[in-house]
């Protein structure tokens, strides 16, 4: 059941021609009731949003790809624990009045070239917006109805050096791994309309609603 609405899907993917580093941003606006936003705006729910991303990745790949957790890292694996596609350091969190980030720094993996180890990152960023700022018009045309809240959600990969591009070429990477990443990320953003956030596997902020 959809509780919120998703609009303005974006894709901004670029590559530094000099270094080969990839930056890829997929974004969308999430409109939801103000009361729901107040309930969700906490470190615990930012952590749950992060977990929801990994849960979606496992579901959309029918369990072929999953995430393994340790205190020091998160590893995206293909079928077996030894097949680590990408390994990240433990997440970093930042939550302010109108801005939240969860960031995983890339450390290694089969999909990462040697040059890209311990350099790039994956992050989910959320920003609170007013309806007026989003639409460029009146924030609320019906004074009797509270205007919806708006979150701008961005998923960014930056400083990423894909192994496929270094071994097989940039065009192969662009036609395969990069395209698949964009499709899956846009599907994840659309899925947020259900506001079905997974329980954290780690529970770093469990019970902390502020």
């Amino acid at each position: 059941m959809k509780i919120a609405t998703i609009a303005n899907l974006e894709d901004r993917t670029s590559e530094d021609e000099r270094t080969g580093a990839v930056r890829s941003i997929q974004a969308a606006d999430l409109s939801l009731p103000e009361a729901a936003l107040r309930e969700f705006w906490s470190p615990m729910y930012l952590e749950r949003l992060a977990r929801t991303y990994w849960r979606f990745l496992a579901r959309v790949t029918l369990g072929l790809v999953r995430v393994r957790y340790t205190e020091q890292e998160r590893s995206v694996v293909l079928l077996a624990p030894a097949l680590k596609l990408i390994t990240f350091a433990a997440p970093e969190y930042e939550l302010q009045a109108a801005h939240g980030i969860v960031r995983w720094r890339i450390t290694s993996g089969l999909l990462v070239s040697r040059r890209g180890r311990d350099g790039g990152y994956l992050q989910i960023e959320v920003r609170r917006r007013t309806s007026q700022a989003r639409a460029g018009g009146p924030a609320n045309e019906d004074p009797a109805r509270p205007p919806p809240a708006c979150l701008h959600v961005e998923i960014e990969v930056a400083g990423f050096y894909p192994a496929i591009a270094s071994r097989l070429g940039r065009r192969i990477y662009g036609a395969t791994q990069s395209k698949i990443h964009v499709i899956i990320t846009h599907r994840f953003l659309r899925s947020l309309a259900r506001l079905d956030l997974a329980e954290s596997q780690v529970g770093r902020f469990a019970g902390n609603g502020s």
Side-chain angles (χ1 to χ4, degrees):
M1 177 181 178
K2 289 187 177 181
I3 301 174
T5 59
I6 296 291
N8 303 324
L9 281 169
E10 302 176 37
D11 171 40
R12 304 193 301 276
T13 300
S14 61
E15 182 178 353
D16 187 318
E17 294 185 359
R18 181 177 59 85
T19 66
V22 171
R23 187 183 187 202
S24 182
I25 300 174
Q26 287 71 49
D29 290 327
L30 174 66
S31 297
L32 69 166
E34 179 67 37
L37 176 58
R38 288 197 300 269
E39 178 183 353
F40 288 147
W41 198 262
S42 71
M44 179 179 67
Y45 280 97
L46 185 59
E47 183 180 29
R48 289 182 62 183
L49 176 62
R51 170 57 187 158
T52 303
Y53 177 77
W54 299 127
R55 180 185 68 178
F56 182 84
L57 184 62
R59 286 180 173 179
V60 79
T61 60
L62 303 178
L64 296 176
V65 173
R66 61 196 70 180
V67 178
R68 293 183 62 86
Y69 294 79
T70 71
E71 291 185 5
Q72 293 78 29
E73 63 183 30
R74 309 289 185 266
S75 294
V76 180
V77 305
L78 177 64
L79 293 176
L83 295 176
K84 296 181 179 181
L85 300 178
I86 303 182
T87 297
F88 303 91
E92 306 163 11
Y93 293 92
E94 177 185 339
L95 186 65
Q96 301 174 0
H99 177 226
I101 288 178
V102 54
R103 179 183 294 118
W104 301 267
R105 297 191 183 275
I106 299 169
T107 60
S108 60
L110 297 174
L111 297 181
V112 184
S113 72
R114 290 185 178 276
R115 184 177 185 181
R117 295 177 183 178
D118 299 308
Y121 62 83
L122 163 69
Q123 74 176 25
I124 301 176
E125 180 177 6
V126 291
R127 290 185 179 273
R128 298 179 70 162
R129 288 183 172 178
T130 65
S131 296
Q132 184 174 10
R134 178 191 60 175
N140 186 16
E141 297 180 357
D142 183 1
R145 177 181 299 176
C150 181
L151 281 180
H152 183 71
V153 184
E154 287 193 357
I155 300 176
E156 177 181 2
V157 177
F160 174 57
Y161 291 83
I164 290 178
S166 62
R167 295 169 185 167
L168 302 179
R170 296 179 182 180
R171 289 186 179 180
I172 298 297
Y173 166 74
T176 55
Q177 184 181 338
S178 178
K179 189 175 294 293
I180 291 170
H181 170 76
V182 172
I183 291 171
I184 289 177
T185 306
H186 275 169
R187 288 185 61 181
F188 167 71
L189 289 167
R190 291 190 184 96
S191 77
L192 294 178
R194 295 189 293 272
L195 298 183
D196 176 22
L197 300 185
E199 294 292 337
S200 170
Q201 293 286 307
V202 177
R204 175 176 174 181
F205 300 110
N208 182 2
S210 61

